[in-house]
């Protein structure tokens, strides 16, 4: 990415910009497996905003205090009676039947049976310490149980990991006006920590950015099939604390939606998106029950689990590998044959809105990791999260687009959601019909939406000829 765009980022995103130097960053964080949004928070805190230089001594001391590389040292301190403060990923479990609030910190060997959230900590953060994965600064100490026979780890203090308590979409919109569309696409790629110069054409860039659609658009359901090494897992596992990446292992209906025995919501409830990575390696228990629940949820965002109605705005994504020919094209025109058998049902797959052609993407190597000034990941993920509930782009789509005749409802909904997602990503400064460049809207938002939904329909037709491949006729007002 050229220096002119970097300088624009520093000018118009002065408080949100950060200098990325992969070699130096890797050396500082060696031995600590941290997602990008945490690394950027820490780098920003110890970086000179003028030069981009990092106070490596100060940062290293801070890391040793709150994210020690040695797991054993944390346990030793707790056992010896010391209070320990950690910046950590932890998992909360609320047992409504027993009235117990537990937590686990897997990275430091603290199990769910070890950790207790006392009532005063829970009440102080009502609505924040809910079931699921969290990031935050926690203070821990060892306490005796009420019976005095055993001990547990007490979470005596908690500070949510939320460097930006709120983000202003209007600020982003105003800043976006100072970039061309091609420049802004490069900004988005750099914010994802990839060098725009590592992509050979605009097709590759837009395909890669399409992975962000589920970050910004609620209840968008996506399928991506791609060869290994194209950065799938990194994007969804490192750029946002609001997503959940399922990588292998066993998956149950209770884990996804609602566990009746524990009276606990599943992972879909409290996340913006849930991604099934390497879906061929995931074992779905009780597949018929999961398939029935998924059909209902993918259609309406609701499903019924053991007489309990479950609803969420979480988007779902299936990611898998696909065999390619020597020229990197799918070896078979039946793309969905790469999915597990339980997912090769047209009625289920037709409920997905969007398809990403991962084989168009380059294999990621070290030269593609971005170095330079860009928007920090924590701000970037927060702004995408905030945009999910901004309905101005949906209303703008309705003013711009008319479906002619009797358009299939699933098609029209899918096209609208995909196109709206692209508007949020690429054109956040479009606040009214007068702002919209119709040519760019058609090129970057509407046509890609029709194309991506069209692939879903074509592949469903390959499974069941009853599904028609025709797409709705659309007019731009």
């Amino acid at each position: 990415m050229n220096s002119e765009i970097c300088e624009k980022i520093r000018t118009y995103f002065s408080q949100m910009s950060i200098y990325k130097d992969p070699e130096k960053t890797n050396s500082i964080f060696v031995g600590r497996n941290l997602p990008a949004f945490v690394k950027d928070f820490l780098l920003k805190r110890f970086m000179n905003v003028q030069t981009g230089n990092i106070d490596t001594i100060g940062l290293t001391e801070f890391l040793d205090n709150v994210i020690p590389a040695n797991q054993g040292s944390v346990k030793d301190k707790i056992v010896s009676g010391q209070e320990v403060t950690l910046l950590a990923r932890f998992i909360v479990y609320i047992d409504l039947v027993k009235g117990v609030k537990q937590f686990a910190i897997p990275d430091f060997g603290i199990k769910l049976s070890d950790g207790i959230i006392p009532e005063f900590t829970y009440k102080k953060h009502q609505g924040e310490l809910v079931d699921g994965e969290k990031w935050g600064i926690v203070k821990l100490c060892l306490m005796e149980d009420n019976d005095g026979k055993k001990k547990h780890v007490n979470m005596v203090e908690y500070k949510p990991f939320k460097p930006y308590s709120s983000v202003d979409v209007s600020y982003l919109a105003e800043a976006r006006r100072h970039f061309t569309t091609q420049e802004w696409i490069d900004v988005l790629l750099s914010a994802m920590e990839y060098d725009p110069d590592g992509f050979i054409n605009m097709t590759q860039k837009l395909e890669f950015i399409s992975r962000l659609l589920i970050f910004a658009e609620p209840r968008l359901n996506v399928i991506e099939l791609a060869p290994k090494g194209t950065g799938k897992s990194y994007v969804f596992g490192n750029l946002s604390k609001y997503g959940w990446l399922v990588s292998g292992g066993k998956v149950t209906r209770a884990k996804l939606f609602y566990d009746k025995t524990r009276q606990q919501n599943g992972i879909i409830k409290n996340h913006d998106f849930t991604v099934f990575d390497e879906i061929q390696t995931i074992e779905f228990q009780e597949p018929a029950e999961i398939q029935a629940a998924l059909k209902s949820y993918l259609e309406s965002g609701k499903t019924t689990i053991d007489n309990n109605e479950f609803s969420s705005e979480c988007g779902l994504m299936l990611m898998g590998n696909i065999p390619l020919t020597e020229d990197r094209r799918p070896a078979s025109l039946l793309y969905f044959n790469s999915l597990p058998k339980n997912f090769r049902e047209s009625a289920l797959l037709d409920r997905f809105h969007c398809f990403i052609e991962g084989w168009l993407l380059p294999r990621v190597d070290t030269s593609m990791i971005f170095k330079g000034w860009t928007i920090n990941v924590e701000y970037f993920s927060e702004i995408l999260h905030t945009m999910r509930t901004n309905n101005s782009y949906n209303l703008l789509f309705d003013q711009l687009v008319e479906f002619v005749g009797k358009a299939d409802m699933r098609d029209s909904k899918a096209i609208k959601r995909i196109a709206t997602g692209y508007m949020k990503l690429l054109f956040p400064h479009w606040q009214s019909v007068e702002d919209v460049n119709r040519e760019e809207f058609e090129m970057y938002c509407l046509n890609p939406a029709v194309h991506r939904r069209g692939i879903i329909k074509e592949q469903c037709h390959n499974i069941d000829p009853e599904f028609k491949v025709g797409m709705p006729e659309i007019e731009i007002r």
Side-chain angles (χ1 to χ4, degrees):
M1 188 164 74
N2 65 51
S3 58
E4 184 180 340
I5 301 177
C6 289
E7 284 305 310
K8 279 189 176 184
I9 292 173
R10 296 187 68 184
T11 300
Y12 300 111
F13 291 97
S14 57
Q15 299 302 313
M16 301 85 172
S17 62
I18 189 171
Y19 186 80
K20 296 289 185 74
D21 187 339
E23 288 188 14
K24 184 178 291 186
T25 299
N26 291 339
S27 298
I28 293 173
F29 293 106
V30 65
R32 296 178 175 91
N33 186 18
L34 299 175
F37 59 84
V38 175
K39 289 180 182 178
D40 276 14
F41 161 71
L42 296 171
L43 289 172
K44 184 77 174 169
R45 185 170 176 173
F46 289 90
M47 180 176 288
N48 184 311
V49 295
Q50 300 300 322
T51 64
N53 292 329
I54 300 169
D55 175 8
T56 54
I57 295 176
L59 176 52
T60 301
E61 289 178 350
F62 181 82
L63 288 171
D64 288 340
N65 286 328
V66 301
I67 316 177
N70 183 2
Q71 283 189 13
S73 66
V74 173
K75 284 189 171 182
D76 288 343
K77 288 180 180 179
I78 293 176
V79 170
S80 67
Q82 298 181 54
E83 287 189 340
V84 174
T85 300
L86 300 174
L87 171 57
R89 173 184 68 95
F90 62 96
I91 299 167
V92 175
Y93 167 56
I94 310 297
D95 189 327
L96 296 177
V97 176
K98 298 180 180 179
V100 177
K101 302 163 184 70
Q102 299 170 283
F103 73 93
I105 309 181
D107 294 339
F108 293 101
I110 299 175
K111 297 177 291 186
L112 200 61
S113 57
D114 299 331
I116 297 293
I117 303 172
E119 197 63 27
F120 67 85
T121 302
Y122 180 76
K123 286 185 176 179
K124 188 177 179 180
H125 300 281
Q126 199 83 38
E128 294 176 348
L129 289 168
V130 296
D131 290 320
E133 184 182 87
K134 306 293 172 190
W135 275 90
I137 297 176
V138 294
K139 182 180 285 188
L140 310 175
C141 70
L142 200 64
M143 300 281 288
E144 286 189 350
D145 290 349
N146 292 334
D147 58 11
K149 296 180 180 179
K150 294 182 179 180
K151 295 182 179 181
H152 63 266
V153 181
N154 224 29
M155 185 187 293
V156 293
E157 287 185 17
Y158 165 63
K159 182 180 180 181
F161 179 77
K162 199 173 177 68
Y164 295 93
S165 57
S166 64
V167 290
D168 188 354
V169 175
S170 63
Y171 182 94
L172 174 78
E174 186 55 39
R176 167 64 178 89
R177 297 180 190 278
H178 298 279
F179 296 82
T180 67
T181 299
Q182 285 71 28
E183 287 176 338
W184 186 248
I185 288 170
D186 286 356
V187 170
L188 293 179
L189 290 168
S190 69
M192 297 172 75
E193 302 199 317
Y194 290 89
D195 191 337
D197 295 338
F199 298 84
I200 62 174
N201 53 38
M202 186 59 68
T203 297
Q204 284 191 348
K205 290 181 178 181
L206 291 174
E207 204 71 32
F208 200 85
I209 286 172
S210 297
R211 290 173 169 171
L212 295 177
L213 288 168
I214 61 171
F215 287 63
E217 184 63 18
R219 253 186 349 100
L220 181 66
N221 305 316
V222 182
I223 298 173
E224 177 182 346
L225 298 177
K228 295 180 179 180
T230 54
K232 300 188 297 295
S233 303
Y234 186 84
V235 169
F236 299 107
N238 283 272
L239 299 186
S240 175
K241 59 178 174 285
Y242 297 107
W244 187 283
L245 188 69
V246 180
S247 300
K250 296 180 180 180
V251 173
T252 64
R253 187 182 65 168
K255 183 177 180 180
L256 288 179
F257 294 101
Y258 182 77
D259 189 326
K260 183 181 179 181
T261 304
R262 296 182 173 182
Q263 295 187 22
Q264 180 184 17
N265 283 314
I267 58 179
I268 290 176
K269 183 66 176 181
N270 297 313
H271 293 88
D272 287 355
F273 56 87
T274 299
V275 178
F276 298 105
D277 188 19
E278 304 283 359
I279 191 168
Q280 294 94 335
T281 67
I282 297 174
E283 181 184 343
F284 291 90
Q285 294 187 328
E286 303 163 338
E289 290 186 356
I290 291 180
Q291 189 182 74
L294 281 175
K295 279 184 182 178
S296 176
Y297 179 76
L298 291 169
E299 183 73 23
S300 63
K302 297 179 182 179
T303 191
T304 301
I305 307 295
D306 297 322
N307 296 321
N308 294 288
E309 185 174 86
F310 175 94
S311 65
S312 175
E313 291 297 301
C314 179
L316 296 184
M317 184 168 189
L318 307 182
M319 288 198 306
N321 298 319
I322 185 170
L324 301 182
T325 61
E326 290 183 359
D327 59 352
R328 290 181 65 84
R329 303 297 300 175
S332 170
L333 294 178
L334 304 177
Y335 302 163
F336 290 158
N337 280 354
S338 295
L339 296 174
K341 288 184 178 180
N342 295 323
F343 282 87
R344 296 181 207 166
E345 184 192 358
S346 54
L348 173 67
L349 293 166
D350 189 44
R351 288 164 164 82
F352 283 86
H353 306 112
C354 176
F355 188 91
I356 296 177
E357 299 165 278
W359 54 84
L360 299 177
L361 297 172
R363 186 175 179 85
V364 174
D365 57 42
T366 54
S367 68
M368 292 185 66
I369 308 304
F370 181 73
K371 180 179 181 179
W373 287 95
T374 185
I375 299 172
N376 80 70
V377 172
E378 177 57 23
Y379 170 77
F380 185 57
S381 67
E382 282 293 336
I383 201 73
L384 295 180
H385 171 70
T386 301
M387 279 188 160
R388 294 174 69 84
T389 54
N390 188 320
N391 66 357
S392 62
Y393 303 96
N394 302 69
L395 297 174
L396 193 54
F397 179 92
D398 291 337
Q399 292 177 275
L400 291 167
V401 172
E402 179 180 357
F403 290 96
V404 180
K406 296 181 180 180
D408 181 272
M409 187 65 72
R410 285 182 186 166
D411 292 341
S412 59
K413 282 184 177 180
I415 291 168
K416 180 177 180 178
R417 286 184 184 172
I418 300 168
T420 300
Y422 278 122
M423 291 167 70
K424 292 175 179 178
L425 294 176
L426 300 175
F427 306 102
H429 58 303
W430 286 354
Q431 302 295 301
S432 67
V433 173
E434 288 71 31
D435 291 332
V436 177
N437 179 313
R438 299 309 201 271
E439 184 178 342
E440 287 195 319
F441 172 72
E442 186 173 6
M443 178 185 301
Y444 293 107
C445 303
L446 187 58
N447 287 350
V450 173
H451 173 67
R452 297 190 187 285
R453 171 58 184 170
I455 295 175
I456 296 287
K457 291 201 70 174
E458 181 181 3
Q459 293 304 313
C460 285
H461 175 76
N462 290 340
I463 296 173
D464 182 356
E466 180 183 336
F467 282 82
K468 307 303 179 185
V469 295
M471 294 296 289
E473 184 181 345
I474 299 172
E475 290 184 357
I476 299 177
R477 297 189 178 98

